[in-house]
Structure formats: structure tokens, C-alpha cells
Amino acid sequence: MSATEELRRDHIQVRRFDSIVTKCYTALYGGGDVPLGDVEKIARVMEEFLDAVHYSREEDSYFPCVASYDHLRREMHVLLVEHEFSRRVAVQLRRYMRRWKEEGSDLNAREPIARYMRAYSVYISDHLSKEEDFFDRAEAEILSKEEEYEMYEQFRSVVATSKKLDDLMGDIDYLESQPWAA
Ligand SMILES: [Fe+2]
Ligand SMILES: [Fe+2]
């Protein structure tokens, strides 16, 4: 198994999640009934799967390994800046979710949530395709089989210590089956 393959597999889940986010903001804009609890699950997947699991695999293992060859630095910098952008969007989402909780789900809370979700979705599709080109090049031009295997093992060992990833995939299954996501 290889680290690059594992990251591509994460991206399959991230694309599933992107289509949930798209359905959610479309429903919010259209005045559809999206419970706050579902919006909270979406924010949780952003923070605990995309950020804490997937970005961490990229930022703490994969990118530093590629960077040690002094190659693809500019491309990597762009990807890191985009991660920061998505973190800022997630913070804004939390802020308006608090408003929704405190003041009810009027337009003042729902409109910014829809807007930030749309920004997040635009970010995801662009970021993933850019990053997949990066993976193709890193895999073909830089990483050795041993490095791929070691990083893969590292990814697995971190996940094996927590059941969290299964829970988060369960959240994605749940969100996909909600009426507003039909
Ligand atoms: Fe990324
Ligand atoms: Fe990624």
C-alpha cells in the first residue's frame, strides 16, 4: 500500500462530502428545511475529518517528505495556503451556527451559512484537482516505494488508535440520507 493511494482514497470521501455541502447550501438558499444538527455534523466533518485527519496526513507527513527533496515547493505552498483558507471558512461557519442557535434560524443566520458553504465547495473542487496533479508528480518523480509504505503505515497507525474515522464516515452516510440531500 502507498501513502499517495491512501490520500487519493481520502479524496473520494471528500468528494462525497462536497456533494453533501452543495446540497445543503442549495437547500438553505431555497428555504428548505435543514436542521441545525445536520449543519453541525457538516462542520464536524470539516474539522475532524478534513482538517484533523486528512490535512494532517498531508501537512505533517506527505508534504514534508516531498519537501525534503526540495521539489514542487511552489505547488506545495499554494496547497497549504488553501488549507488555511478552508480553516477560516470553517471558523466563520461556526460563528453563524452560534447565531442560529441563539437567535433562531432566520435569514440572518441561514444566508451566511449557505454563502460560506458555497465558498467551501468551490474551494474543495479546485483544491482536490490541483492536489491530485501534485500527487501524480510526487508519486512519479519523487517518492520511493519505502517512503510510500512508511507513510502509509504511519497514517494507519494514527487512525487505528481512534474509532473516530468510522464515526465520521457514519456522519457522511447519515447526511447523504437526509431529505434535503435527496
Ligand atoms: Fe489538501
Ligand atoms: Fe487532500
Side-chain angles (χ1 to χ4, degrees):
M1 293 312 283
S2 88
T4 307
E5 268 310 308
E6 187 67 4
L7 292 176
R8 288 192 186 107
R9 257 196 302 274
D10 284 353
H11 279 197
I12 293 172
Q13 303 304 327
V14 177
R15 285 185 204 284
R16 272 178 78 196
F17 179 65
D18 179 26
S19 107
I20 291 168
V21 172
T22 302
K23 283 175 177 157
C24 188
Y25 78 69
T26 308
L28 286 169
Y29 274 131
D33 182 25
V34 182
L36 179 59
D38 291 358
V39 175
E40 267 163 357
K41 278 194 164 50
I42 287 176
R44 180 174 176 236
V45 173
M46 285 176 184
E47 290 159 357
E48 297 182 17
F49 173 59
L50 273 96
D51 196 337
V53 175
H54 182 66
Y55 294 174
S56 149
R57 288 173 167 179
E58 292 173 344
E59 293 178 1
D60 303 332
S61 303
Y62 197 82
F63 291 168
C65 188
V66 173
S68 68
Y69 290 87
D70 204 17
H71 194 43
L72 299 175
R73 276 187 182 279
R74 204 164 35 88
E75 290 83 348
M76 206 176 316
H77 176 71
V78 170
L79 296 170
L80 287 168
V81 168
E82 290 178 353
H83 285 181
E84 285 311 314
F85 169 79
S86 85
R87 288 180 173 119
R88 284 200 299 275
V89 172
V91 167
Q92 291 303 316
L93 263 177
R94 280 281 175 204
R95 185 175 148 208
Y96 287 102
M97 281 161 55
R98 272 199 301 279
R99 185 184 285 186
W100 182 338
K101 201 171 202 162
E102 285 158 13
E103 299 171 19
S105 75
D106 62 2
L107 214 60
N108 285 338
R110 292 163 69 100
E111 191 281 328
I113 286 178
R115 183 156 35 87
Y116 282 110
M117 281 190 181
R118 188 170 60 185
Y120 202 90
S121 170
V122 169
Y123 148 77
I124 289 180
S125 17
D126 184 59
H127 181 74
L128 294 195
S129 53
K130 223 180 276 173
E131 207 161 60
E132 281 159 13
D133 289 341
F134 181 90
F135 293 162
D136 291 344
R137 291 189 60 190
E139 187 180 48
E141 300 165 21
I142 298 172
L143 299 171
S144 69
K145 281 219 163 1
E146 292 71 27
E147 284 166 328
E148 287 274 24
Y149 183 73
E150 263 169 44
M151 282 193 282
Y152 171 79
E153 287 292 301
Q154 203 179 328
F155 292 169
R156 293 275 99 190
S157 69
V158 173
V159 168
T161 58
S162 91
K163 259 184 70 272
K164 201 176 242 180
L165 199 55
D166 287 344
D167 289 353
L168 291 165
M169 293 304 118
D171 282 347
I172 292 180
D173 292 340
Y174 165 88
L175 289 164
E176 272 175 344
S177 71
Q178 296 315 294
W180 53 263

